[in-house]
């Protein structure tokens, strides 16, 4: 089992940057595929980015490709989401998630563990 704790959210102007962090408990962080999702008010939770266990592969939603970068540091049990060129439509609660299954990493249903979320607000 793993517990996830996000941090780094906040209020930023359009065009600005934020870096989200997700710290995981436990000694087996390297066994998990990690993902970032977001949920805006009144909308369903949607995929943002995912990374494989060794960071060899990364995946992005089309809406963030070229602006966001997912990375991980297995020695620090942490996954990151660097967000650049932020837009008002990026405003949402951002969640990190973990799974041991290497399938359908863009789907919320693929993940077993979720953090509590961190709010990102982008003003125009």
């Amino acid at each position: 089992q793993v517990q996830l704790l996000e941090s780094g959210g906040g209020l930023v102007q359009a065009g600005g940057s934020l870096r989200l962090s997700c710290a995981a408990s436990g000694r087996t962080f390297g066994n998990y595929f990690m993902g970032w999702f977001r949920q805006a008010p009144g909308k369903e939770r949607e995929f943002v980015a995912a990374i494989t266990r060794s960071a060899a592969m990364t995946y992005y939603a089309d809406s963030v490709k070229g602006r966001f970068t997912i990375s991980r540091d297995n020695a620090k049990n942490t996954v990151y989401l660097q967000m650049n060129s932020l837009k008002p439509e990026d405003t949402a609660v951002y969640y990190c998630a973990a799974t041991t299954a290497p399938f359908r990493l863009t789907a919320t249903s693929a993940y077993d563990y979720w953090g509590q979320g961190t709010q990102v607000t982008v003003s125009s």
Side-chain angles (χ1 to χ4, degrees):
Q1 190 170 356
V2 63
Q3 293 183 327
L4 305 172
L5 182 64
E6 302 96 336
S7 62
L11 174 64
V12 63
Q13 289 187 334
S17 298
L18 282 175
R19 188 175 83 153
L20 305 184
S21 299
C22 173
S25 65
R27 301 179 180 178
T28 59
F29 177 71
N31 291 344
Y32 291 91
F33 298 83
M34 300 298 296
W36 284 97
F37 291 77
R38 66 188 182 187
Q39 188 166 19
K43 295 187 177 182
E44 293 187 352
R45 193 169 298 188
E46 65 175 7
F47 169 74
V48 175
I51 189 166
T52 56
R53 292 176 295 188
S54 64
M57 297 291 292
T58 56
Y59 307 90
Y60 297 94
D62 288 343
S63 59
V64 307
K65 202 170 294 182
R67 300 187 297 121
F68 290 12
T69 302
I70 188 172
S71 61
R72 66 190 296 162
D73 185 337
N74 287 347
K76 294 183 178 180
N77 284 11
T78 302
V79 62
Y80 304 97
L81 186 68
Q82 178 67 44
M83 305 186 295
N84 298 328
S85 301
L86 282 161
K87 304 175 181 180
E89 51 263 44
D90 294 318
T91 295
V93 177
Y94 283 71
Y95 299 89
C96 72
T99 180
T100 55
F103 309 113
R104 301 179 64 242
L105 294 179
T106 62
T108 56
S109 59
Y111 292 84
D112 302 307
Y113 305 103
W114 292 84
Q116 86 294 341
T118 185
Q119 176 71 46
V120 171
T121 303
V122 184
S123 63
S124 57

